[in-house]
Amino acid sequence: MTSTIDRDGAAESRVFEADVAKLLQMMVHSVYSDKDVFLRELISNAADACERLRYEAISNPALLPDDTRPQITLAIDAEARQLTVEDNGIGMSHDEMVDALGTIARSGTKAFIEQQAKMDHAKAAEAGEGVNLIGQFGVGFYSAFMVADRVDVISRRAGASEAWRWSSDGKGTFMVTPVDVSEAPARGTRVTLHLTDEAKGYADRPKLEQIVRDQSGHVPVPIVLVEKPGAAPTEIADGAALWTKPRGEISASEYADFYRSVAGQFDEPALTVHFRAEGRQEFTALLFVPQTRPFDLFETERKGPIKLYVRRVFITDDADLLPRYLRFVRGVVDSSDLPLNISREMIQESPILAAIKKSITGRILTELEKLAEKDPAAYGKIWETFGLMFKEGIYDAYDRRDVILGLCRFKTTAGSLRSLKDYVGAMKENQTSIYYLAGHDAARLEASPHLEGFRARGVEVLLLSDPVDSFWVTSGPNFEGKPFKSVTQGAADLAAIPHADTNAEPSQEVSAEVTEFLSFLKTTLSDLVSDVRSSERLTDSPVCLVAAESGPDRQLEKILVGVGQLTGASKPVLEVNPRHPLIASLAALGDSDRAFKEDTARMLLDDARVLDGDRPSDALEFSRRLARIVERGLRGSTG
């Protein structure tokens, strides 16, 4: 960088280091996606300066009088279209100002940390929690040029008798001039932004308060706002982050207020998870499960619902810190290990973040397990609201599948929502599988003929009416060694399970006439079904359709055909109840009634299709066959 006037003169006009103007342009338009971030950056720098002063005052107490507390002041001058961010921190000398504000990707803070790393840590121990610096890189300062066409910085280093002004329009040069100490802060830095016409809204008090509350309300320094020149300052942030307080010191109402602020919800949290992790990764998490579904639950572009902070500095409000199946969780995570650097939007690629994600995922699932055990009713409400997301997790999260299955609750033929643990505990003698019936209509599922044989034996069946159910059950899961089996696929395997009614008559052998009729059906319907066989699962209905033992079950096949993943449905198996009166009557008909038997064979198939939620294969032929069958019945009744 060059200077046209040396520092002993009245002013210095300096040129940024090579390509700074180009880098500024790239930074303004590419690095940050949200212009509000400039205020976060300036507040972070101000809080950092206050932290540096506190640390240096350990060895030089005169720098920080006992009656002075650190503070950041936001001052608005709407008429002049100005916004000022001022701190009473360490401030900058002439050389520090030139070095810190004249170079991209470098700051006094970073140099300070590197210097302190080489020194004895005794001072840090004396300071209690040590140095807590949050603005390690100088790029953030230049985000001010997203909203300002000129930026003035006046700074006076603590203990110094001189002050300096830095001024630039961000287009390649900056001026450094001395100023009278009466125009400068007693110590610290004052950054004045001359807002562009498009950015004049940042001189609006409600807007600033909202940004501070969302992005910087929890930096470790109080923030006050001066609404107009001469007005009294009003505190808008007390410098204390709720999540840093012990749980015992936080009331339920404080948790609820914070939840509403961070989640944008108006309900109460159904579950609050607040913990601090120490060890290889140090972070604090304050997370909430809402009572109602967030409005953006199914937005595909939303990366994540968690606000990420690094040492109480806001980084992003969509950190990818939870798997998709927990996307309903809201809250904040504050890391002590992640770096603050130019690529804050890319910080989620950090392996540290991956470790944090694994940790908080496990903690949330553990807390949900505890709630399910302690308060089943409260957990049941969470399941009713977010159970669909958990089911996605069964399909996607192989490493967590057993835990998620344990958290699942299902409507079954036994009635109320049941856990798989309850289901397995109630399994019948010789039952080896967890049976389920999938479909799109819960009422239709309950009336399905496929359930008849299971009900007769008291075997519980899961009723799965969410579209995702058809996928997770086929991904190979089992629970406590018991596989999931569809009641609409393959053989029912019910013969070994005794009837619930001990007085029920044993099943009679299928008569020769019925066996012959089954062969007739198989021949007649060979173009539409893959097989016709006697059914174990039917007790009241004459027929039903089932899928072959291999391949998708009936519901999954329908879904795959509907979305074009299959070109067409496979031929189903027609199961016939050999003890049904209708089947017995049809089997008793002779060859003279062959045409009628062919009509009824196809009507039985269409009946099975309708019970399965489908339409008759040929509506016109169905209508004609129905007319012929009714006509024959009328002739018989009048003859």
Side-chain angles (χ1 to χ4, degrees):
M1 109 186 35
T2 60
S3 173
T4 58
I5 303 177
D6 63 31
R7 66 166 295 182
D8 294 326
E12 299 172 77
S13 176
R14 290 180 174 261
V15 178
F16 287 112
E17 289 191 343
D19 295 326
V20 166
K22 189 179 297 183
L23 287 172
L24 274 171
Q25 186 77 2
M26 292 172 59
M27 191 280 304
V28 169
H29 295 288
S30 302
V31 174
Y32 296 110
S33 56
D34 183 358
K35 293 186 184 298
D36 290 355
V37 77
F38 85 90
L39 189 58
R40 178 193 78 186
E41 298 294 338
L42 297 182
I43 290 176
S44 295
N45 290 343
D48 173 36
C50 292
E51 286 287 274
R52 286 185 59 189
L53 175 62
R54 181 185 64 80
Y55 185 82
E56 290 197 10
I58 295 172
S59 58
N60 187 2
L63 295 177
L64 186 61
D66 293 338
D67 60 348
T68 303
R69 74 166 189 165
Q71 180 173 286
I72 300 170
T73 301
L74 305 181
I76 299 171
D77 188 342
E79 291 186 5
R81 216 162 63 197
Q82 292 180 0
L83 171 64
T84 299
V85 180
E86 181 174 335
D87 66 75
N88 59 356
I90 191 65
M92 290 180 283
S93 67
H94 170 277
D95 291 343
E96 288 172 329
M97 178 178 283
V98 171
D99 190 41
L101 303 186
T103 306
I104 289 288
R106 185 179 178 186
S107 74
T109 301
K110 184 180 180 183
F112 176 77
I113 289 177
E114 293 172 347
Q115 178 186 6
Q116 296 305 318
K118 302 174 183 177
M119 296 177 59
D120 187 351
H121 294 285
K123 292 180 181 178
E126 292 176 21
E129 62 183 44
V131 184
N132 185 18
L133 302 173
I134 57 179
Q136 296 188 22
F137 295 84
V139 174
F141 166 77
Y142 292 96
S143 63
F145 289 103
M146 291 191 295
V147 298
D149 49 27
R150 192 173 92 249
V151 177
D152 295 324
V153 180
I154 297 178
S155 189
R156 180 180 180 183
R157 204 180 202 287
S161 58
E162 57 184 17
W164 298 89
R165 179 196 305 271
W166 180 99
S167 182
S168 177
D169 60 5
K171 296 180 180 178
T173 64
F174 62 90
M175 295 288 295
V176 178
T177 58
V179 296
D180 192 280
V181 293
S182 63
E183 299 179 29
R187 69 171 185 277
T189 301
R190 179 187 303 139
V191 181
T192 301
L193 283 69
H194 301 269
L195 300 169
T196 63
D197 186 59
E198 294 81 6
K200 61 185 178 182
Y202 290 106
D204 178 65
R205 173 173 181 162
K207 183 179 182 70
L208 288 181
E209 286 186 337
Q210 182 66 41
I211 296 173
V212 170
R213 186 162 50 247
D214 290 347
Q215 300 193 0
S216 301
H218 307 288
V219 295
V221 178
I223 302 173
V224 300
L225 177 67
V226 178
E227 187 171 8
K228 59 184 178 180
T234 302
E235 185 173 86
I236 58 175
D238 63 6
L242 184 72
W243 60 81
T244 64
K245 299 179 181 179
R247 286 179 294 178
E249 297 179 8
I250 305 174
S251 66
S253 61
E254 287 178 311
Y255 273 131
D257 288 342
F258 182 77
Y259 156 73
R260 295 187 189 103
S261 173
V262 76
Q265 298 278 104
F266 297 96
D267 56 351
E268 298 279 335
L271 177 66
T272 300
V273 180
H274 187 189
F275 69 99
R276 178 174 177 77
E278 296 179 340
R280 296 185 64 181
Q281 285 81 38
E282 292 189 5
F283 65 91
T284 300
L286 178 51
L287 307 166
F288 304 94
V289 175
Q291 287 186 2
T292 58
R293 286 187 175 185
F295 71 94
D296 58 350
L297 195 60
F298 295 101
E299 284 188 9
T300 56
E301 296 182 1
R302 181 69 185 265
K303 296 179 182 178
I306 303 301
K307 293 181 181 290
L308 176 64
Y309 289 76
V310 174
R311 294 184 290 281
R312 286 182 275 189
V313 178
F314 174 80
I315 302 300
T316 179
D317 63 356
D318 62 354
D320 185 17
L321 282 171
L322 288 173
R324 286 283 296 167
Y325 65 87
L326 290 178
R327 62 185 177 275
F328 53 87
V329 176
R330 298 294 188 263
V332 301
V333 170
D334 187 353
S335 170
S336 300
D337 300 322
L338 286 167
L340 288 168
N341 55 41
I342 186 173
S343 300
R344 292 188 179 182
E345 280 77 3
M346 303 300 294
I347 200 170
Q348 297 182 43
E349 297 179 0
S350 167
I352 297 174
L353 206 73
I356 293 174
K357 179 176 182 176
K358 182 178 180 180
S359 178
I360 65 174
T361 298
R363 186 59 176 262
I364 291 171
L365 295 177
T366 296
E367 293 299 324
L368 287 168
E369 285 180 314
K370 291 179 180 178
L371 180 65
E373 184 72 24
K374 179 181 177 181
D375 192 343
Y379 178 75
K381 293 179 180 179
I382 292 177
W383 173 260
E384 290 281 8
T385 307
F386 300 111
L388 180 61
M389 280 93 254
F390 282 97
K391 292 177 180 179
E392 294 176 11
I394 306 173
Y395 186 77
D396 293 332
Y398 180 81
D399 58 330
R400 306 276 188 180
R401 180 175 289 172
D402 291 344
V403 176
I404 299 172
L405 281 171
L407 287 169
C408 289
R409 299 294 182 267
F410 300 100
K411 187 173 183 180
T412 75
T413 49
S416 59
L417 288 176
R418 300 262 285 170
S419 69
L420 291 176
K421 183 179 179 180
D422 292 335
Y423 181 101
V424 171
M427 286 177 66
K428 299 302 180 181
E429 179 184 353
N430 299 328
Q431 182 182 348
T432 58
S433 299
I434 298 172
Y435 293 104
Y436 71 89
L437 174 62
H440 66 278
D441 186 330
R444 185 184 292 274
L445 291 180
E446 289 191 77
S448 173
H450 296 87
L451 299 175
E452 294 172 357
F454 295 89
R455 284 198 172 106
R457 292 165 173 81
V459 175
E460 191 173 3
V461 179
L462 308 182
L463 303 176
L464 309 180
S465 57
D466 291 323
V468 70
D469 289 323
S470 293
F471 293 92
W472 69 257
V473 292
T474 62
S475 61
N478 67 80
F479 186 78
E480 296 185 357
K482 305 295 191 296
F484 289 82
K485 182 174 176 59
S486 172
V487 301
T488 68
Q489 184 172 25
D493 299 329
L494 290 175
I497 302 176
H499 277 259
D501 183 1
T502 56
N503 296 321
E505 295 183 4
S507 298
Q508 299 177 353
E509 291 292 328
V510 178
S511 67
E513 285 183 336
V514 170
T515 300
E516 185 178 349
F517 181 64
L518 295 183
S519 297
F520 170 80
L521 290 175
K522 186 173 182 178
T523 301
T524 303
L525 302 175
S526 60
D527 57 332
L528 297 172
V529 300
S530 61
D531 194 13
V532 176
R533 66 186 179 209
S534 179
S535 178
E536 292 180 355
R537 73 190 88 214
L538 295 174
T539 60
D540 301 318
S541 302
V543 290
C544 71
L545 292 176
V546 298
E549 193 72 43
S550 59
D553 78 342
R554 296 281 294 155
Q555 178 62 14
L556 179 57
E557 185 178 67
K558 292 176 186 178
I559 294 175
L560 295 177
V561 170
V563 298
Q565 294 297 310
L566 289 177
T567 56
S570 60
K571 292 182 180 180
V573 175
L574 179 66
E575 285 200 354
V576 179
N577 180 357
R579 287 162 290 279
H580 194 280
L582 175 61
I583 301 301
S585 298
L586 290 172
L589 295 176
D591 289 340
S592 61
D593 292 307
R594 185 176 183 84
F596 175 73
K597 288 170 66 176
E598 289 180 351
D599 276 345
T600 54
R602 297 188 181 276
M603 286 296 290
L604 285 173
L605 177 58
D606 283 336
D607 182 41
R609 290 177 57 83
V610 171
L611 289 173
D612 217 22
D614 294 330
R615 295 178 179 179
S617 54
D618 187 324
L620 179 59
E621 284 302 314
F622 175 83
S623 177
R624 290 172 176 171
R625 281 193 295 270
L626 180 60
R628 290 195 294 267
I629 291 171
V630 170
E631 182 182 358
R632 175 188 167 106
L634 291 174
R635 285 203 309 267
S637 65
T638 58

